[in-house]
Amino acid sequence: MYALVDGNNFYVSCERVFRPSLEGHPVVVLSNNDGCAIARSDEAKALGIKMGHPFFKIRKEFPNAGIIALSANFVLYGDMSSRMMGIAAALGPNQEIYSIDECFVGLDGVGGDLVRRAHAIRNRLQCWLGLPAGIGIGQTKTLAKLANHVAKSAVRKPGSYPEDLGYVCNLAGLPASDLDAVLAATPVGDIWGVGRKINKQLEEMGVTTALQLANLEPSLVRKRWSVVLERTVRELQGQPCIGLDDTPPDKQQIACTRSFGRRITDLPSLEEAVSLFASRAAEKLRKQDGVAAQVLVFIHTSPFSDGKQYANSATVRLLRPSSDTLRIAQGAVKGLRSIYKPGFDYAKAGVMLLDIGSAGVVQGELDLFADMEERTDLMSAIDGINAKFGRGSIRVASAGAGEQKREWQMRQELRTPRYTTNLADIPIARA
DNA sequence: TCTGGGGTCCTAGGACCC
DNA sequence: TCTGGGGTCCTAGGACCC
C-alpha cells in the first residue's frame, strides 16, 4: 500500500506563503529566462493557461486577466520542499522523494484509519508551512498517483465522484465497482506512465479510458509496447510492480545546461558559460562523492528562430576520472573549441558529466600520478566558501572573473526574495 | 524582443568474443 | 536460394516523468 503526497500548484503555493496578496489571483511561475509557465495557480489554469506555454504568448492572449507572473525562485522552492518532505515522512515507515513537490510513502504495517492519518498530515502541511497538498492512497504506486489525481479533481468538481473526497482519496478503500467507475471516468492519458505518444497509439486502438487500459492483456501490451507499459497495466489491476525507491542510487549522469538570456556568437562568451556550467556540474558531482570519466559539452542555436541552425556536441575523456572543477572545466572548454563554429547565434549550451563512478574506488588505485594528484582539499575549500558566502564567490577564471553581469546570463526579472535561505531576505512581521 | 532544466529506463542494433 | 549459436558490452535514440 502506498500514499502519494503532492503539493498543489507547488511553486505558486510557495510564493503565496510569503505574499498572501497573491491569493485569489491568477499566478504563473516562469521557467528560467522567464520563458514559459511551469506552474499555475487554479485561477490561471481556469483561464486556460497551459503548462509550458510561452510567457510572451500568455501576455498577448490574456492582456487584461490580471495575471501575475513570477520568475522561478528555485532556492525558495527547494527549501520549502525539504520542509514538506520532513512532515510527509511521518505518514509511514518509508519515503521516496519523487520530485520537488511529490513523495511516495510506503504504508506497510501502518494500522488504523489511513484516511484520517492522511488528513492529519495534510493539516500539518497546511498549518506548519502554509502549503496545500493532496494525498492519494492505493494498492500500487500507479493507483496512489491516480488517487491523488482523483482527490484533486473531486475538490475542483465536488459531487462528481462517489464520495466527497476532500484532499485525500483512498482508492484501496473503495468497493471494486466504485474503483471501476473511477477508472472509467479517467482518460487514459492521465495515467502515470502514459505519455503523449502512447496515449495516441492507445486511442487509435479504441482504448481511451483507464479502465480499458487496465483490462488489456499484460502479455499483449508487452509485445505491442514494452515491459514499462505492461507494468502500468498490472499496477492498475492492483498488482504492485514498481517498488519504493527510498534510497535512490547516486546519479549516473549530472547535467548543467542553460538557455542564454541573449544569443551569443563569440567563443570567449561561450567558454565563460561552459566553464561556469562545468563548475556547477562538478559541484553536484562532489556532493555525491563521485568522479566522472567523461565530459560532454553541447551548443546549439535556437530551434525557434529562422536563422541558420547549428547544433553539435563533443565528448571528452578525462585523463582519469575526476571531480576537479579545473580539470572538468578544461575538458569542457576543449570540447567546446572542437565544435564551435563562428557565425551562428547560439541560444543554449550545456555540460554533462558521464561515466560516473565512486571517488573511493579511484583513490584506491596506485598513486602513479603524483603530478595529477586530486586537489580534493582545494575543492572542499571552494565548496565550503561558496556554501558560506554564496554560489560563485570563488570560481575558475575562465568562468569570468568580473563582477559585471554577464551578457548571456539568464533573465529573472520577476524573482521574489529568498525568504527562507538568505538572512537579508527574511520577512519581518509587524504588529 | 520573448519558447526550461534535469533526470530515468528500455530497446534495438552493432561490435566483438568464443 | 543455402553461410552456427550463443553471449556481452556499448551506444544512440525514444519514451516517460516533474
Side-chain angles (χ1 to χ4, degrees):
Chain A
M1 191 79 76
Y2 296 94
L4 179 78
V5 184
D6 170 296
N8 298 346
N9 312 330
F10 187 69
Y11 297 164
V12 171
S13 298
C14 290
E15 298 286 354
R16 280 178 168 168
V17 170
F18 297 94
R19 290 171 70 173
S21 62
L22 296 173
E23 216 60 64
H25 295 278
V27 180
V28 295
V29 171
L30 304 174
S31 63
N32 283 338
N33 285 316
D34 297 340
C36 48
I38 53 173
R40 306 152 293 154
S41 69
D42 284 342
E43 298 81 3
K45 288 177 187 171
L47 283 173
I49 294 171
K50 297 271 180 289
M51 187 73 171
H53 206 68
F55 181 44
F56 73 94
K57 286 188 184 168
I58 294 176
R59 268 191 309 207
K60 206 182 292 175
E61 285 170 36
F62 308 94
N64 301 313
I67 294 169
I68 299 165
L70 300 171
S71 304
N73 186 346
F74 288 113
V75 175
L76 174 66
Y77 312 150
D79 183 65
M80 293 299 281
S81 171
S82 59
R83 294 168 195 248
M84 168 178 148
M85 296 307 170
I87 292 172
L91 193 50
N94 315 97
Q95 181 186 39
E96 171 189 346
I97 294 172
Y98 180 66
S99 74
I100 193 163
D101 66 336
E102 274 177 58
C103 66
F104 287 101
V105 179
L107 298 177
D108 289 343
V110 177
D113 183 340
L114 290 178
V115 171
R116 181 183 290 260
R117 196 181 168 87
H119 271 296
I121 295 292
R122 217 193 76 76
N123 288 339
R124 266 184 220 172
L125 290 169
Q126 186 71 65
C127 298
W128 298 1
L129 291 183
L131 291 178
I135 302 182
I137 299 169
Q139 212 67 250
T140 64
K141 284 168 90 174
T142 303
L143 287 171
K145 271 282 221 185
L146 175 60
N148 180 68
H149 185 75
V150 169
K152 280 186 188 165
S153 313
V155 170
R156 225 167 277 141
K157 307 183 285 181
S160 54
Y161 285 90
E163 46 185 305
D164 185 7
L165 297 154
Y167 282 96
V168 174
C169 167
N170 179 9
L171 284 181
L174 293 182
S177 59
D178 283 1
L179 177 58
D180 279 0
V182 169
L183 289 170
T186 306
V188 71
D190 287 353
I191 295 299
W192 187 45
V194 179
R196 270 216 337 262
K197 187 106 180 190
I198 290 173
N199 184 24
K200 189 156 167 264
Q201 291 165 351
L202 286 168
E203 280 180 353
E204 277 163 11
M205 293 178 54
V207 175
T208 60
T209 71
L211 184 61
Q212 288 173 299
L213 179 62
N215 287 334
L216 290 181
E217 181 56 44
S219 59
L220 290 181
V221 171
R222 182 187 204 132
K223 225 177 265 172
R224 169 70 177 79
W225 285 277
S226 69
V227 292
V228 183
L229 194 63
E230 180 195 7
R231 283 200 279 256
T232 299
V233 170
R234 290 185 188 277
E235 287 238 322
L236 283 175
Q237 296 171 353
Q239 180 188 342
C241 300
I242 308 172
L244 196 76
D245 209 352
D246 55 355
T247 45
D250 288 334
K251 304 262 182 263
Q252 297 174 37
Q253 51 184 60
I254 289 171
C256 182
T257 71
R258 290 284 181 280
S259 299
F260 303 130
R262 241 169 57 196
R263 307 277 184 262
I264 58 183
T265 57
D266 62 303
L267 184 59
S269 295
L270 281 175
E271 286 181 354
E272 198 176 289
V274 160
S275 300
L276 185 65
F277 302 161
S279 319
R280 287 274 168 79
E283 242 170 73
K284 295 186 203 170
L285 181 61
R286 291 195 291 272
K287 220 168 253 174
Q288 71 171 44
D289 207 19
V291 287
Q294 299 186 68
V295 180
L296 179 147
V297 57
F298 72 82
I299 47 174
H300 65 71
T301 52
S302 169
F304 302 103
S305 93
D306 300 327
K308 287 184 299 176
Q309 298 285 321
Y310 175 65
N312 207 348
S313 69
T315 305
V316 175
R317 183 167 285 280
L318 300 176
L319 285 172
R320 70 166 178 171
S322 175
S323 64
D324 185 309
T325 290
L326 301 172
R327 254 193 263 292
I328 287 171
Q330 279 163 7
V333 167
K334 181 177 162 198
L336 170 67
R337 290 181 182 154
S338 75
I339 54 174
Y340 171 75
K341 281 192 190 167
F344 291 95
D345 291 331
Y346 293 99
K348 184 173 179 176
V351 171
M352 295 170 83
L353 305 181
L354 312 170
D355 207 347
I356 290 175
S358 150
V361 175
V362 174
Q363 276 170 357
E365 285 176 3
L366 291 175
D367 211 357
L368 293 173
F369 305 94
D371 56 325
M372 289 174 51
E373 204 178 340
E374 291 296 294
R375 289 168 285 215
T376 45
D377 291 345
L378 174 60
M379 291 304 134
S380 331
I382 290 177
D383 291 343
I385 290 169
N386 283 337
K388 188 164 179 186
F389 296 102
R391 190 187 262 164
S393 299
I394 290 198
R395 53 182 178 257
V396 294
S398 55
E403 287 302 312
Q404 80 282 8
K405 196 173 147 105
R406 293 174 282 276
E407 60 164 32
W408 46 268
Q409 218 162 36
M410 66 187 182
R411 290 185 309 276
Q412 277 194 312
E413 283 150 16
L414 310 163
R415 210 200 69 229
T416 51
R418 289 171 177 158
Y419 299 106
T420 62
T421 54
N422 190 333
L423 263 186
D425 289 348
I426 284 183
I428 297 168
R430 295 195 176 81

